[in-house]
Amino acid sequence: MLAPESVEPLLTGRFGRPFLYEASCPSTQELLGGDMPDGAVAVCDEQTAGRGRQGRTWASPPGTAILFSILLRPPPERVVSQLSLVAGTAVAEAIEAAVGLAVQVKWPNDVMLNRRKVAGILAEASDGRVVLGIGVNVNQLRSELPEDTKVAAASLYTIDGVKRERPPLLASILGHLERNYDAWAERGLDGIYESLGSRDFLRGRRVTMDGSQGTGVKIDRDGRFLVDVGGDVRAFESGEILYER
């Protein structure tokens, strides 16, 4: 269980304070009130109406995934859409430390392991605050993962066959996220670009974006994705990229 008594003793920073927990809820995004402080976290062991990007659902059997939302109040001079990359890099770092395998970030908001999606981030901004919804597939069996997805899904368990305790991984994610968020708040993506740039899943891959086919160049320091289309390098600020596996 991801109840407070299992997670709070493992927290080392300010993120996760307060730590709100429900065994089951429609979505952790809805548990964080507007008056809560920067770094407040809401967690559940089962989401009945979890949301992903572009209206997709995010569902998993109870007690198998890490499902949480965190409230942030970023500096007004920062570009809040970059927070999906900030969080994705933090999740990738924590998973990499747990599994000992290279973990990548797929622009704009997926975390990839062995070319499969193991985590996703949803950012929702309003009135000077951002709520990041983060889902990590930890202990699902292959039969418990969605099949009708554009990006093939996996859990950490289906990658290496290891069942993991979720509280230490959640605490690690929050620690990495706090460090990355503080670096981003101070310096923008420059503050985390060494880690982000080295984990760029789409770099060098054949991709399709808005009907144009080309080769992924990189995530730039403004959070855009650059695509070489016949020698013309185009910068995309949002959207969904299809890629050749």
Side-chain angles (χ1 to χ4, degrees):
M1 301 284 285
L2 293 175
E5 59 267 22
S6 298
V7 180
E8 286 183 330
L10 305 176
L11 300 178
T12 58
R14 71 184 188 279
F15 278 15
R17 308 177 193 278
F19 186 92
L20 310 176
Y21 171 78
E22 296 285 347
S24 178
C25 71
S27 172
T28 56
Q29 301 280 88
E30 301 171 3
L31 299 179
L32 294 171
D35 58 344
M36 289 185 178
D38 191 67
V41 167
V43 180
C44 72
D45 276 303
E46 179 188 28
Q47 279 190 146
T48 57
R51 304 191 303 276
R53 287 185 72 243
Q54 299 183 338
R56 300 189 184 102
T57 59
W58 184 288
S60 62
T64 61
I66 292 175
L67 306 167
F68 74 98
S69 295
I70 181 167
L71 188 151
L72 301 172
R73 301 184 185 278
E77 67 271 20
R78 294 291 167 233
V79 181
V80 296
S81 61
Q82 296 174 359
L83 280 171
S84 291
L85 294 171
V86 173
T89 304
V91 173
E93 292 167 348
I95 292 175
E96 189 168 290
V99 303
L101 299 171
V103 183
Q104 295 174 293
V105 175
K106 175 183 170 291
W107 185 92
N109 72 325
D110 291 338
V111 179
M112 310 291 288
L113 178 56
N114 282 10
R115 300 187 302 279
R116 291 178 175 269
K117 178 179 175 178
V118 294
I121 293 93
L122 176 67
E124 296 183 334
S126 64
D127 300 324
R129 69 177 201 145
V130 178
V131 175
L132 289 177
I134 299 176
V136 183
N137 295 331
V138 182
N139 290 325
Q140 293 101 314
L141 305 176
R142 193 172 304 279
S143 61
E144 295 172 331
L145 294 166
E147 296 181 355
D148 56 341
T149 57
K150 293 183 178 180
V151 180
S155 68
L156 306 189
Y157 176 73
T158 63
I159 296 293
D160 65 5
V162 176
K163 288 280 189 178
R164 289 181 167 82
E165 296 293 329
R166 292 173 299 141
L169 181 55
L170 173 55
S172 177
I173 291 171
L174 290 174
H176 283 278
L177 180 55
E178 183 174 329
R179 287 190 291 273
N180 285 7
Y181 175 74
D182 288 346
W184 171 81
E186 181 179 350
R187 300 176 53 207
L189 283 184
D190 282 343
I192 66 160
Y193 194 78
E194 182 177 354
S195 181
L196 171 61
S198 67
R199 299 176 187 279
D200 190 344
F201 176 79
L202 293 172
R203 178 181 297 194
R205 293 183 184 271
R206 294 292 298 172
V207 300
T208 301
M209 180 72 176
D210 291 345
S212 299
Q213 294 184 333
T215 301
V217 177
K218 65 178 179 178
I219 301 169
D220 73 8
R221 292 175 183 265
D222 293 318
R224 304 173 302 177
F225 192 73
L226 307 184
V227 179
D228 184 332
V229 182
D232 177 24
V233 177
R234 303 178 187 179
F236 295 93
E237 296 187 358
S238 62
E240 187 167 15
I241 288 184
L242 303 178
Y243 65 94
E244 297 179 9
R245 296 179 184 173

